[in-house]
């Protein structure tokens, strides 16, 4: 504006302004500024190509939802030592398995001993557990270069320099730096480790090293491979090699066909895709069955009964000998152990109880009887043992190892507990052989699948930090020089006094892993799911019964995609394990695990193609707030991503769907404190206190999430009561109290399930992904609840729903009656039978349909005319 001659501090008033017309680029850039997280050259070009803002909005609405849960799952490809209950390893011969150039693994090899063994050709193998890891020249041996013995322990880190740890690479070409391997004469000497160059995997004659040729393969890069240095992924196996050339136990080795270099396996986690219930496939690590997703109101339309997803039935039996138990490790990487030397916790002496266990602990070396027995003091116990063995088949008498004598009195007195843990020399009736049986704890010589304890025992991290081997895994993994197979399948309970009660107090955790008693004959079909490996069972002489899998209902789960090895390992799935918190250092791009939620949101949101949906989701999440300050799940990612995906998936859907999904989500129940809220009647009758249901959510669902505090006119202004001049409230405190009774007895759906984020705290870990459920009617407020007053009228919730006693006769046979497939369970979608009907041992089926005469049976069976088998449907509505 020009100055005015001779006048200062002059003011101008703009009467009108005609800005220049925006260019096409400017118009679309403004649109993207308002409706996305910022324009890029690519998004601007795409918007312009659509021609108009309306077309761009329509295109954004039509784009598939970019779910944050899927983004997270694709990028979690972490180290895992072995199969555990809910997660499995990606096998070495599967596409996407991971391979390293450096010979030693910073997670698996800490505390293990490297032994230099001559090859006979002038060079030396560096062996661990009897397996060659690499080959070096005589002069390149660490013992020669550093003046140490020819066997030495791998150390975790230098205690004086925290940043000096065992490296996860051999050579960084970008810096010219070689990786570090820390070693010492023994674990105690790891306080002052020797730093040597991390060797690469190299063999001049693989057949000499392993007895067979190393498989030739094609390897591919990992996205962002600059962060993972020399690691590669398996692309293809080159003929004549096949999967049969790979072992189930770690480590495997391959040779890259392009470079000729050798690589060692870096065993990683495998997640499965359950987003489509028709394409879900069986998993080896889940007992050869499909991953199961619970049926809920969110996914019931996707559920289908499938006969090909249930666990197969196996025929045959085998004896639990050391040789047979070892096959579970060699053929399926299962740590199957018998437990020995368990303390006699909560065990009465055999004279005081009629339920006793006696174990032949040293069979094969007890032909002269016990070195010290109590036969003279307690002859009736010897008589009872001899009689019990005599009642067995003759073929069993010489091989029996565990005697559970229940309901039989020993006919003795022992006030001083001398018979507790005592040994007795017994003559086997059928053969006259001598044996020694020892009174034992009730699980002595029981056999368990110990994979979860190998990974998750809380004492393992302390061994790792002290540069000692995993004390549970080492039983199976160590080189068995003696040739006594029992050494490789027997886990001796530690004698420490502070450890005495641990197994007894935690034995319930082993219920799902009990195989049987050492020496017993076990039916293959009675094995726990973790041990039902077709490879092992067929090797032991068992067979798979054709068409034997039960029909199970398979449901999908939005965003539950498989992980993608190519995407690298960006986020943690398992938060703890045998290396404890150092798992966070295993990420391809290091970051603090506490910030994973933020990283997932930032990365997924800012890079998603459906930017408008992401902006709407952010707006909705700012209304339905959950906060880590109020919820104790700060390290979890998948549960938070699943909650946020409510808004991503339903950004353009109806508000009722969003509100219901939020209301049943476990995170919201924790945030607004109504999870586990109980009825007043329950509190009075059960606990003797006058405690009303939690009112937090009942208030906020109205005040913050929906109708607000005051009635509104159509133009958004508040309605005024003409008689008082006050604004008219939408609800009263009585309404809050009333509705709080409707939010009673909701709990997290279940314990951890397969194929989702893991958390280990030695306690109950609820599943925070699926909607909550009502476990039973106990604690639920069962009395009528009024609706909000509308136009001075107030009804009751459920007024238009007919009561069960008001239904017409045989309503379950009328047209429109709906049936849901329940397998063998009376529970459906979080609704369960009354408490008096809840125990399946106490009820018989309400009705048994005759397959030959019942029309209802025919409707529910939906028989396939070709196979003549029932083709069950998830939901059946009677149409006549």
């Amino acid at each position: 504006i020009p100055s005015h001659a001779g006048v200062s501090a002059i003011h101008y008033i703009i009467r009108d302004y005609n800005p220049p017309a925006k260019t096409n680029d400017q118009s679309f850039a403004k649109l993207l500024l308002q409706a996305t997280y910022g324009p890029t050259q690519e998004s601007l070009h795409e918007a312009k190509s659509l021609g108009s803002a309306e077309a761009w909005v329509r295109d954004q609405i039509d784009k598939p939802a970019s779910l944050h849960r899927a983004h997270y799952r694709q990028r979690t490809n972490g180290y895992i030592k072995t199969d555990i209950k809910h997660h499995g390893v990606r096998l070495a011969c599967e596409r996407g398995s991971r391979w390293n150039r450096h010979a030693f693994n910073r997670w698996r090899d800490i505390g293990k001993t490297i032994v230099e063994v001559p090859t006979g050709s002038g060079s030396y193998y560096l062996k661990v557990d009897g397996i060659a890891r690499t080959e070096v020249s005589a002069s390149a041996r660490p013992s020669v270069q550093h003046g140490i013995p020819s066997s030495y322990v791998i150390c975790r880190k230098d205690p004086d320099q925290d940043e000096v740890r065992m490296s996860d690479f051999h050579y960084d070409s970008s810096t010219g730096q070689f990786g570090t391997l820390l070693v010492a004469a023994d674990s105690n000497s790891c306080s002052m480790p020797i730093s040597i160059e991390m060797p690469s995997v190299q063999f001049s004659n693989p057949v000499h090293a392993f007895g067979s040729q190393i498989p030739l393969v094609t390897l591919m890069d990992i996205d962002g491979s600059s962060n993972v240095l020399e690691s590669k992924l398996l692309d293809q196996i080159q003929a004549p090699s096949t999967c049969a050339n790979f072992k189930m136990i770690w480590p495997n080795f391959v040779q890259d066909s392009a470079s000729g270099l050798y690589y060692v396996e870096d065993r990683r986690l495998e997640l499965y895709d359950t987003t489509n219930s028709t394409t879900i496939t069986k998993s080896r690590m889940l007992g050869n069955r499909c991953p199961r997703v619970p049926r809920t109101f969110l996914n019931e339309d996707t559920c289908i009964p499938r006969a090909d997803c249930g666990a197969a039935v196996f025929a045959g039996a085998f004896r639990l000998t050391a040789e047979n138990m070892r096959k579970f490790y060699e053929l399926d990487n299962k740590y199957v152990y018998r437990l020995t030397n368990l303390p006699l916790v909560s065990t009465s002496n055999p004279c005081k109880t009629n339920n006793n266990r006696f174990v032949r602990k040293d069979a094969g070396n007890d032909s002269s009887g016990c070195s010290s027995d109590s036969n003279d003091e307690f002859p009736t116990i010897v008589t009872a043992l001899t009689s019990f063995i005599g009642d067995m088949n003759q073929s069993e008498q010489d091989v029996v190892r565990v005697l559970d004598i229940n309901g039989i009195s020993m006919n003795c007195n022992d006030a001083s507990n001398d018979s507790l843990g005592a040994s007795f020399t017994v003559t086997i009736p059928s053969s006259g052989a001598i044996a020694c049986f020892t009174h034992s704890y009730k699980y002595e010589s029981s056999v368990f699948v110990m994979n979860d304890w190998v990974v998750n025992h809380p004492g393992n991290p302390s061994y790792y930090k002290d540069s000692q081997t995993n004390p549970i895994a080492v039983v199976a993994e160590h080189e068995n020089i003696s040739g006594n197979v029992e050494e490789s399948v027997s886990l001796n309970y530690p004698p420490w006094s502070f450890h005495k009660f641990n197994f007894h107090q935690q034995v319930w955790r082993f219920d799902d892993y009990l195989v049987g008693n050492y020496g017993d004959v076990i039916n293959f079909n009675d094995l726990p799911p973790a041990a039902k490996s077709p490879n092992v069972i067929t090797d032991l002489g068992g067979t798979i019964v054709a068409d034997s899998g039960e029909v199970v209902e398979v449901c999908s789960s939005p965003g539950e995609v498989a992980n993608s090895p190519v995407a690298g390992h960006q986020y943690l799935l398992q938060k703890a394990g045998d290396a404890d918190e150092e798992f966070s250092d295993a990420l391809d791009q290091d970051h603090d695990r506490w910030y994973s939620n933020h990283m997932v949101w930032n990365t997924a949101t800012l890079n998603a193609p459906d930017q408008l949906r992401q902006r709407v989701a952010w707006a909705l999440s700012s209304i339905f707030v959950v906060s880590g300050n109020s919820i104790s799940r700060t390290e979890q990612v998948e549960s938070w991503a699943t909650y946020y995906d409510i808004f991503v998936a339903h950004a353009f859907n109806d508000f009722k769907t969003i509100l219901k999904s939020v209301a049943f989500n476990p995170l919201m129940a924790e945030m607004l404190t109504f999870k586990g809220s109980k009825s007043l009647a329950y509190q009075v009758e059960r606990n003797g206190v006058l405690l009303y249901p939690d009112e937090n959510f009942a208030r906020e669902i109205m005040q913050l999430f929906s109708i607000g505090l005051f009635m509104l006119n159509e133009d958004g202004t508040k309605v005024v009561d003409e008689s008082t001049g006050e604004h008219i409230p939408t609800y009263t405190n009585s309404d809050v109290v009333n509705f709080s009774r409707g939010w009673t007895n909701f709990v997290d759906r279940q314990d951890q399930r397969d194929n989702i984020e893991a958390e280990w705290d030695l306690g109950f870990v609820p599943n925070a992904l699926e909607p909550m459920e009502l476990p039973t009617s106990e604690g639920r407020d069962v009395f009528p609840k009024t609706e909000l007053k509308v136009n001075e009228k107030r009804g009751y919730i459920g007024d238009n729903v007919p009561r069960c006693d008001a239904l017409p006769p045989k309503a379950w046979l009328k047209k429109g009656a709906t049936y849901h497939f329940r397998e063998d369970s009376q529970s459906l979608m979080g609704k369960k039978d009354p408490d008096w009907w809840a125990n399946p041992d106490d009820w018989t089926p309400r009705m048994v349909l005759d397959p030959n005469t019942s029309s209802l049976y025919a409707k529910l069976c939906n028989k396939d005319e070709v196979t003549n088998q029932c083709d069950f449907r998830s939901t059946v509505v009677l149409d006549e």
Side-chain angles (χ1 to χ4, degrees):
I1 297 175
S3 61
H4 195 283
V7 179
S8 61
I10 192 169
H11 298 276
Y12 290 84
I13 298 176
I14 298 176
R15 296 293 186 183
D16 52 43
Y17 173 63
N18 295 312
K22 289 187 177 68
T23 65
N24 201 37
D25 281 3
Q26 289 174 327
S27 296
F28 279 105
K30 182 177 181 180
L31 169 67
L32 296 178
L33 281 169
Q34 294 173 330
T36 74
Y37 284 96
T40 64
Q41 289 291 340
E42 182 181 354
S43 64
L44 183 59
H45 176 76
E46 180 184 23
K48 287 164 56 179
S49 69
L50 293 169
S52 68
E54 181 180 352
W56 179 84
V57 170
R58 175 51 54 193
D59 179 73
Q60 284 285 303
I61 292 174
D62 291 341
K63 285 185 184 296
S66 299
L67 300 181
H68 291 216
R69 182 187 181 198
H71 170 90
Y72 160 72
R73 287 176 60 87
Q74 288 170 337
R75 293 162 178 80
T76 180
N77 291 279
Y79 152 79
I80 184 170
K81 189 175 184 67
T82 185
D83 295 333
I84 53 178
K85 182 174 183 178
H86 298 297
H87 300 94
V89 301
R90 189 180 302 276
L91 297 183
C93 70
E94 292 181 9
R95 190 173 189 271
S97 59
R98 192 156 167 161
W99 301 83
N100 294 331
R101 281 286 294 138
H102 54 285
F104 301 99
N105 189 290
R106 65 185 291 198
W107 309 114
R108 292 177 170 273
D109 289 333
I110 297 299
K112 292 197 171 184
T113 300
I114 298 175
V115 180
E116 298 175 356
V117 179
T119 66
S121 302
S123 58
Y124 283 75
Y125 293 129
L126 302 187
K127 287 190 173 184
V128 174
D129 293 329
I131 300 172
R133 294 296 187 83
T134 189
E135 182 179 340
V136 298
S137 66
S139 60
R141 286 182 292 157
S143 62
V144 172
Q145 292 190 341
H146 299 279
I148 58 177
S150 59
S151 66
Y152 33 87
V153 168
I154 300 174
C155 302
R156 168 176 163 256
K157 70 171 187 174
D158 187 335
D160 296 327
Q161 303 180 67
D162 189 63
E163 70 281 359
V164 179
R165 303 187 183 196
M166 180 176 171
S167 300
D168 54 1
F169 65 92
H170 160 62
Y171 178 69
D172 183 353
S173 58
S174 64
T175 64
Q177 176 186 0
F178 284 93
T180 298
L181 177 64
L182 300 175
V183 298
D186 52 48
S187 293
N188 293 331
S189 301
C190 280
S191 58
M192 298 182 64
I194 299 170
S195 177
I196 66 177
E197 183 181 296
M198 172 67 77
S200 63
V201 181
Q202 179 60 45
F203 299 104
S204 61
N205 187 349
V207 175
H208 181 270
F210 302 106
S212 61
Q213 192 59 255
I214 288 177
L216 188 67
V217 301
T218 302
L219 299 177
M220 57 183 176
D221 289 335
I222 302 169
D223 286 350
S225 57
S226 60
N227 291 321
V228 293
L229 300 179
E230 303 155 317
S231 294
K232 301 283 186 180
L233 302 175
L234 178 66
D235 186 15
Q236 290 181 327
I237 302 173
Q238 301 290 334
S241 297
T242 66
C243 264
N245 298 109
F246 292 80
K247 302 178 300 178
M248 286 298 298
I249 57 176
W250 185 86
N252 284 280
F253 297 86
V254 295
Q255 184 179 22
D256 180 28
S257 60
S259 65
L261 297 176
Y262 292 94
Y263 287 77
V264 62
E265 179 188 5
D266 184 4
R267 193 158 285 188
R268 297 291 174 125
L269 168 86
E270 182 174 21
L271 294 179
Y272 308 100
D273 191 323
T274 66
T275 58
N276 187 332
S277 54
T278 63
T279 58
I280 295 173
T281 57
K282 286 187 174 182
S283 162
R284 172 193 58 82
M285 58 75 54
L286 298 178
N288 203 36
R289 60 171 175 79
C290 294
R292 300 294 301 277
V293 176
R295 176 187 176 127
T296 72
F297 68 85
L298 293 177
N299 67 0
E300 58 179 319
D301 293 338
T302 72
C303 299
I304 54 173
R306 286 177 52 182
D308 62 337
C309 266
V313 175
F314 297 95
F318 74 109
R319 189 177 298 280
L320 277 176
T321 63
E323 291 74 17
N324 289 342
M325 289 166 58
R326 181 65 179 174
K327 290 182 182 293
F328 285 93
Y329 177 69
E330 294 174 344
L331 300 180
D332 200 39
N333 198 211
K334 295 299 191 298
Y335 296 78
V336 176
Y337 297 153
R338 66 164 179 166
L339 300 188
T340 61
N341 298 327
L342 289 167
L344 290 161
V345 175
S346 298
T347 302
S348 299
N349 78 57
C351 297
K352 291 183 179 179
T353 177
N354 293 340
N355 299 307
N356 293 283
R357 170 166 287 198
F358 294 86
V359 177
R360 189 177 179 183
K361 293 187 175 184
D362 198 22
N365 298 309
D366 61 352
S367 58
S368 299
C370 309
S371 58
S372 175
D373 62 38
S374 299
N375 290 34
D376 293 340
E377 293 88 345
F378 304 100
T380 57
I381 295 181
V382 179
T383 301
L385 290 171
T386 305
S387 175
F388 189 83
I389 296 172
D391 289 339
M392 302 171 65
N393 293 330
Q394 290 189 8
S395 60
E396 295 292 314
Q397 292 185 22
D398 281 316
V399 296
V400 67
R401 297 291 180 265
V402 178
L403 301 177
D404 283 324
I405 304 179
N406 297 319
I408 298 176
S409 172
M410 296 291 117
N411 295 315
C412 56
N413 295 304
D414 181 14
S416 359
N417 279 337
D418 292 333
S419 60
L420 181 66
S423 296
F424 301 89
T425 299
V426 179
T427 301
I428 305 298
S430 62
S431 64
I434 303 298
C436 178
F437 283 88
T438 301
H439 177 243
S440 303
Y441 178 69
K442 60 183 177 180
Y443 286 106
E444 177 75 18
S445 279
S446 288
V447 176
F448 295 90
V449 181
M450 301 293 289
N451 283 44
D452 271 69
W453 230 227
V454 164
V455 174
N456 290 316
H457 189 287
N460 292 342
S462 63
Y463 277 77
Y464 177 84
K465 291 177 180 178
D466 291 339
S467 297
Q468 299 183 57
T469 56
N470 182 310
I472 303 175
V474 71
V475 174
E477 294 174 358
H478 81 287
E479 182 182 12
N480 191 332
I481 299 175
S482 71
N484 182 359
V485 183
E486 286 194 353
E487 288 182 10
S488 299
V489 296
S490 301
L491 181 63
N492 294 314
Y493 197 77
W496 314 313
S497 58
F498 70 85
H499 206 265
K500 179 178 180 179
F501 297 93
N502 287 7
F503 180 82
H504 181 74
Q505 294 170 345
Q506 302 290 334
V507 69
W508 60 272
R509 298 183 183 281
F510 292 81
D511 290 344
D512 293 338
Y513 306 102
L514 177 63
V515 177
N517 294 326
Y518 189 61
D520 285 0
V521 174
I522 306 296
N523 291 322
F524 288 117
N525 209 50
D526 293 335
L527 289 170
K532 284 186 175 178
S533 163
N535 289 342
V536 177
I537 290 174
T538 53
D539 187 83
L540 292 174
T543 58
I544 300 175
V545 180
D547 301 320
S548 58
E550 62 178 340
V551 178
V552 296
E553 187 172 47
V554 180
C555 305
S556 66
S557 180
E560 194 166 313
V561 301
N563 55 346
S564 172
V566 174
H569 183 39
Q570 308 301 330
Y571 310 113
L572 294 175
L573 181 127
Q574 186 184 355
K575 304 304 186 299
D578 53 346
D580 202 31
E581 75 277 357
E582 289 195 24
F583 271 119
S584 57
D585 292 338
L587 296 170
D588 292 341
Q589 185 172 339
D590 289 342
H591 64 81
D592 193 317
R593 60 184 172 181
W594 296 90
Y595 298 110
S596 291
N597 281 311
H598 306 291
M599 292 186 66
V600 168
W601 187 91
N602 286 329
T603 309
T605 297
L606 299 182
N607 293 287
D610 53 336
Q611 284 285 287
L612 180 61
R613 181 187 295 274
Q614 299 294 330
R615 281 295 296 266
V616 174
W618 172 249
L620 290 168
S621 73
S622 299
I623 298 172
F624 300 97
V625 175
V626 293
S627 168
N629 293 329
S630 302
I631 301 172
S632 57
R633 299 178 187 271
T634 50
E635 290 191 9
Q636 295 183 17
V637 179
E638 194 164 6
S639 56
W640 292 92
T642 299
Y643 178 81
Y644 192 85
D645 280 345
I646 293 173
F647 314 118
V648 176
H650 302 296
F652 306 126
N653 291 356
D654 63 282
F655 189 74
K656 179 180 178 181
T657 299
I658 296 175
L659 191 59
K660 184 175 181 180
S661 299
V662 166
F664 279 79
N665 189 277
L667 296 192
M668 179 56 73
E670 288 187 43
M671 179 71 186
L672 293 182
T673 63
F674 72 95
K675 185 180 75 172
S677 177
K678 301 294 185 181
S679 67
L680 175 62
Y682 175 90
Q683 297 289 8
V684 171
E685 295 170 5
R686 178 62 64 89
N687 300 321
V689 295
L690 194 67
L691 184 61
Y692 288 86
D694 189 277
E695 300 174 7
N696 203 356
F697 184 72
R699 177 180 295 104
E700 306 301 5
I701 195 173
M702 294 185 288
Q703 179 178 336
L704 299 181
F705 299 164
S706 57
I707 58 178
L709 290 171
F710 300 102
M711 300 285 289
L712 301 178
N713 295 305
E714 289 187 2
D715 63 359
T717 59
K718 296 175 183 177
V719 177
V720 176
D721 187 329
E722 295 181 355
S723 62
T724 64
E726 301 291 332
H727 297 136
I728 300 176
T730 53
Y731 63 89
T732 66
N733 198 56
S734 296
D735 292 317
V736 173
V737 173
N738 175 61
F739 288 157
S740 70
R741 298 190 291 115
W743 297 103
T744 49
N745 212 39
F746 282 86
V747 298
D748 285 3
R749 184 169 183 81
Q750 58 190 27
D751 198 357
Q752 278 279 13
R753 65 169 174 86
D754 306 326
N755 202 42
I756 61 175
E757 184 178 21
E759 189 74 41
W760 184 263
D761 64 358
L762 292 182
F764 180 79
V765 183
N767 173 354
L769 273 63
E770 272 78 43
M772 293 182 297
E773 67 175 356
L774 299 169
T776 66
S777 59
E778 188 178 35
R780 176 80 177 154
D781 189 297
V782 299
F783 296 104
K785 301 162 186 70
T786 57
E787 298 174 338
L788 285 174
K789 184 186 291 185
V790 179
N791 297 326
E792 299 304 316
K793 295 182 180 179
R794 188 191 296 273
Y796 284 87
I797 296 173
D799 270 350
N800 296 321
V801 179
R803 294 183 356 172
C804 294
D805 58 3
L807 294 173
K810 297 184 177 179
W812 44 275
L813 288 176
K814 299 292 185 182
K815 183 177 181 179
T818 301
Y819 290 81
H820 294 287
F821 183 77
R822 286 191 171 188
E823 301 177 17
D824 58 355
S825 171
Q826 295 290 328
S827 174
L828 174 69
M829 294 195 301
K831 303 171 186 175
K832 293 191 177 181
D833 286 309
D835 298 339
W836 53 270
W837 197 275
N839 187 348
D841 295 331
D842 295 340
W843 52 255
T844 55
R846 294 183 172 103
M847 180 182 298
V848 178
L849 302 178
D850 189 325
N852 299 312
T853 62
S854 171
S855 298
L856 179 58
Y857 179 94
K859 288 285 187 183
L860 299 178
C861 174
N862 189 36
K863 183 180 291 185
D864 186 306
E865 298 300 331
V866 177
T867 63
N868 206 35
Q869 300 293 319
C870 290
D871 184 14
F872 296 113
R873 291 163 291 180
S874 186
T875 301
V876 177
V877 180
L878 300 186
D879 54 5
E880 58 179 338

Coordinates of all heavy atoms in Angstrom, one line a residue, residues 786-811:
T786 N -34.4 -49.6 32.9 CA -35.3 -48.7 32.1 C -34.4 -48.0 31.0 O -33.2 -47.9 31.1 CB -35.8 -47.6 33.1 OG1 -34.8 -46.9 33.7 CG2 -36.8 -48.2 34.0
E787 N -35.1 -47.5 30.0 CA -34.5 -46.7 28.9 C -34.5 -45.2 29.3 O -35.1 -44.8 30.3 CB -35.3 -46.9 27.7 CG -35.4 -48.3 27.1 CD -36.3 -48.4 25.9 OE1 -37.2 -47.6 25.8 OE2 -36.1 -49.4 25.2
L788 N -33.8 -44.4 28.5 CA -33.8 -43.0 28.7 C -35.2 -42.5 28.4 O -36.0 -43.0 27.6 CB -32.8 -42.3 27.8 CG -31.4 -42.4 28.1 CD1 -30.5 -41.8 27.0 CD2 -31.0 -41.7 29.4
K789 N -35.6 -41.4 29.1 CA -36.9 -40.8 28.9 C -36.8 -40.0 27.6 O -36.0 -39.2 27.4 CB -37.2 -39.8 30.1 CG -38.6 -39.2 30.0 CD -38.8 -38.1 31.0 CE -38.9 -38.8 32.4 NZ -39.2 -37.8 33.5
V790 N -37.8 -40.3 26.7 CA -37.9 -39.6 25.5 C -39.4 -39.1 25.3 O -40.3 -39.9 25.4 CB -37.6 -40.5 24.3 CG1 -37.7 -39.8 23.0 CG2 -36.1 -41.0 24.4
N791 N -39.6 -37.8 25.1 CA -40.9 -37.2 25.1 C -41.8 -37.6 26.3 O -42.9 -38.0 26.2 CB -41.6 -37.7 23.8 CG -40.9 -37.2 22.5 OD1 -40.3 -36.1 22.5 ND2 -40.9 -38.0 21.5
E792 N -41.1 -37.5 27.4 CA -41.8 -37.7 28.7 C -42.2 -39.2 28.9 O -43.0 -39.5 29.7 CB -43.0 -36.8 28.9 CG -42.6 -35.3 28.9 CD -41.6 -35.0 30.0 OE1 -41.7 -35.5 31.1 OE2 -40.6 -34.3 29.7
K793 N -41.7 -40.1 28.0 CA -42.0 -41.5 28.2 C -40.8 -42.3 28.4 O -39.7 -42.0 27.9 CB -42.7 -42.0 26.9 CG -44.1 -41.3 26.6 CD -44.7 -41.9 25.4 CE -46.1 -41.3 25.1 NZ -46.7 -41.8 23.8
R794 N -40.9 -43.3 29.2 CA -39.8 -44.1 29.5 C -40.2 -45.6 29.5 O -41.1 -46.0 30.2 CB -39.2 -43.8 30.9 CG -37.9 -44.5 31.3 CD -37.5 -44.3 32.7 NE -37.3 -42.9 33.1 CZ -36.1 -42.3 33.0 NH1 -35.1 -43.0 32.5 NH2 -35.9 -41.0 33.3
G795 N -39.5 -46.4 28.7 CA -39.8 -47.8 28.7 C -38.7 -48.6 29.3 O -37.9 -48.1 30.1
Y796 N -38.7 -49.9 29.0 CA -37.7 -50.8 29.6 C -36.9 -51.4 28.4 O -37.4 -51.7 27.3 CB -38.3 -52.0 30.4 CG -38.8 -51.5 31.7 CD1 -40.0 -51.0 31.9 CD2 -37.9 -51.7 32.8 CE1 -40.5 -50.6 33.2 CE2 -38.3 -51.2 34.1 CZ -39.6 -50.7 34.3 OH -40.0 -50.3 35.5
I797 N -35.6 -51.6 28.6 CA -34.7 -52.2 27.7 C -35.2 -53.6 27.4 O -35.5 -54.4 28.3 CB -33.3 -52.2 28.1 CG1 -32.7 -50.8 28.3 CG2 -32.4 -53.1 27.2 CD1 -31.3 -50.7 28.9
G798 N -35.4 -54.0 26.1 CA -35.9 -55.3 25.8 C -37.4 -55.4 25.8 O -38.0 -56.6 25.8
D799 N -38.1 -54.3 25.8 CA -39.6 -54.4 25.9 C -40.2 -55.2 24.7 O -41.2 -55.8 24.9 CB -40.2 -52.9 25.9 CG -40.4 -52.4 27.3 OD1 -40.2 -53.2 28.2 OD2 -40.6 -51.2 27.4
N800 N -39.6 -55.1 23.5 CA -40.2 -55.7 22.4 C -39.6 -57.1 22.1 O -39.9 -57.7 21.1 CB -39.9 -54.8 21.1 CG -40.6 -53.5 21.2 OD1 -41.7 -53.4 21.7 ND2 -40.0 -52.4 20.8
V801 N -38.8 -57.6 23.0 CA -38.2 -58.9 22.8 C -39.0 -59.9 23.6 O -39.2 -59.7 24.8 CB -36.7 -59.0 23.3 CG1 -36.2 -60.4 23.2 CG2 -35.9 -58.0 22.6
P802 N -39.6 -60.9 23.0 CA -40.5 -61.9 23.7 C -39.7 -62.7 24.7 O -38.5 -63.1 24.5 CB -41.0 -62.8 22.6 CG -40.0 -62.7 21.5 CD -39.5 -61.3 21.5
R803 N -40.3 -62.9 25.8 CA -39.7 -63.7 26.9 C -39.7 -65.2 26.5 O -40.6 -65.6 25.7 CB -40.4 -63.5 28.2 CG -40.3 -62.1 28.8 CD -40.9 -61.9 30.1 NE -41.7 -63.1 30.6 CZ -42.2 -63.1 31.9 NH1 -42.0 -62.0 32.7 NH2 -42.8 -64.1 32.3
C804 N -38.8 -65.9 27.1 CA -38.8 -67.4 26.7 C -40.1 -68.1 27.0 O -40.5 -68.9 26.3 CB -37.6 -68.0 27.5 SG -36.0 -67.5 27.0
D805 N -40.7 -67.7 28.1 CA -42.0 -68.4 28.5 C -43.2 -67.8 27.7 O -44.3 -68.3 27.9 CB -42.2 -68.2 30.0 CG -42.3 -66.8 30.5 OD1 -42.2 -65.9 29.6 OD2 -42.4 -66.6 31.7
A806 N -42.9 -66.8 26.9 CA -44.0 -66.3 26.0 C -43.9 -66.8 24.6 O -44.8 -66.4 23.8 CB -44.0 -64.8 26.1
L807 N -42.9 -67.6 24.3 CA -42.8 -68.1 22.9 C -43.9 -69.1 22.6 O -44.3 -69.8 23.5 CB -41.4 -68.7 22.7 CG -40.2 -67.7 22.8 CD1 -38.9 -68.5 22.8 CD2 -40.3 -66.7 21.7
P808 N -44.2 -69.3 21.4 CA -45.2 -70.3 21.0 C -44.7 -71.7 21.3 O -43.5 -71.9 21.3 CB -45.5 -70.0 19.5 CG -44.3 -69.4 19.0 CD -43.8 -68.5 20.2
P809 N -45.5 -72.7 21.4 CA -45.1 -74.1 21.6 C -44.1 -74.5 20.5 O -44.3 -74.2 19.3 CB -46.4 -74.9 21.6 CG -47.4 -73.9 21.9 CD -47.0 -72.6 21.4
K810 N -43.0 -75.2 20.8 CA -42.0 -75.7 19.9 C -41.5 -74.6 19.0 O -41.4 -74.8 17.8 CB -42.6 -76.9 19.1 CG -43.0 -78.1 19.9 CD -43.4 -79.2 19.1 CE -43.7 -80.5 20.0 NZ -44.2 -81.6 19.2
A811 N -41.2 -73.4 19.6 CA -40.7 -72.3 18.8 C -39.4 -72.7 18.1 O -39.1 -72.1 17.0 CB -40.5 -71.1 19.7

